[in-house]
Amino acid sequence: MQEHRCTEGPAAPESTDDLEQEALRERDAPERLLQQCRELGEYFSYYAAARADGVKLSLRNGVLWIAFAALAFVAVGGLVFGASWILLSGIAEGLGVLFGERVWAGRIVAGLLLLAGLGFGLYGTVTRWKTTSRDRTSKRYDDRQARQEGQFGRKVSERARKTHSEKE
């Protein structure tokens, strides 16, 4: 069953109400628009505040992690320093006993051994780093010349030799 309402004619009570409500809506439209703009502004302000608080929280967490990492670095550094000190003191005293109760001689020899070990270690590391870097660069240029030869039929070094011999 379908319900059918008649809204035409003066006998329909809703027709005048609809017209009055429509007129009211037309008069209130600018105020409603203003209200909606204020509401939108409040929502945007809420969103911006939430985003700002999120950024602040991220920054605060980052600062806390940095502080924690710095504290851990200092603690581990202190442990390594303490352990190294104890080890070197033991080596120096042991060498001092070997040198006939001359602890000062043991300390000097232990210090010299430590410095020599650090020097040789650094020299070996730098030498290995330079060799690896040179080999990597040489391989990169060899690969590039092989690509050039495949693409152009000759390498850049051959082209340079040919140009140089033509000048002479």
Side-chain angles (χ1 to χ4, degrees):
M1 260 191 175
Q2 228 180 9
E3 185 179 317
H4 180 67
R5 276 199 248 174
C6 179
T7 56
E8 297 176 13
E14 291 178 6
S15 64
T16 55
D17 285 343
D18 286 345
L19 290 175
E20 287 174 10
Q21 286 181 358
E22 185 66 33
L24 263 175
R25 276 189 231 128
E26 287 177 8
R27 281 187 302 215
D28 291 339
E31 188 173 316
R32 277 194 0 233
L33 179 63
L34 195 59
Q35 174 64 25
Q36 288 173 345
C37 287
R38 283 192 296 260
E39 186 177 353
L40 181 63
E42 176 59 28
Y43 291 157
F44 178 75
S45 174
Y46 182 86
Y47 174 77
R51 295 296 293 177
D53 286 341
V55 168
K56 288 177 190 175
L57 181 62
S58 295
L59 287 173
R60 187 178 313 125
N61 285 340
V63 168
L64 285 174
W65 275 107
I66 289 171
F68 177 71
L71 182 63
F73 181 74
V74 168
V76 169
L79 287 172
V80 168
F81 178 78
S84 299
W85 184 266
I86 291 169
L87 177 68
L88 288 173
S89 293
I91 291 171
E93 287 179 19
L95 288 172
V97 169
L98 287 176
F99 293 142
E101 297 301 322
R102 294 187 188 100
V103 177
W104 60 269
R107 289 181 181 162
I108 290 174
V109 172
L112 288 174
L113 288 173
L114 175 68
L115 290 176
L118 285 173
F120 285 127
L122 285 174
Y123 177 76
T125 301
V126 169
T127 302
R128 185 175 45 233
W129 178 73
K130 282 180 164 181
T131 302
T132 303
S133 177
R134 184 177 55 245
D135 291 346
R136 192 174 32 232
T137 302
S138 178
K139 182 177 179 351
R140 189 172 65 234
Y141 280 100
D142 289 344
D143 291 346
R144 191 167 182 176
Q145 285 183 7
R147 251 192 351 261
Q148 289 171 351
E149 190 172 24
Q151 189 174 5
F152 303 115
R154 62 178 164 232
K155 300 178 189 176
V156 69
S157 58
E158 294 170 359
R159 178 71 175 163
R161 265 188 257 124
K162 182 179 178 187
T163 304
H164 182 67
S165 65
E166 288 175 357
K167 286 183 181 180
E168 292 179 350

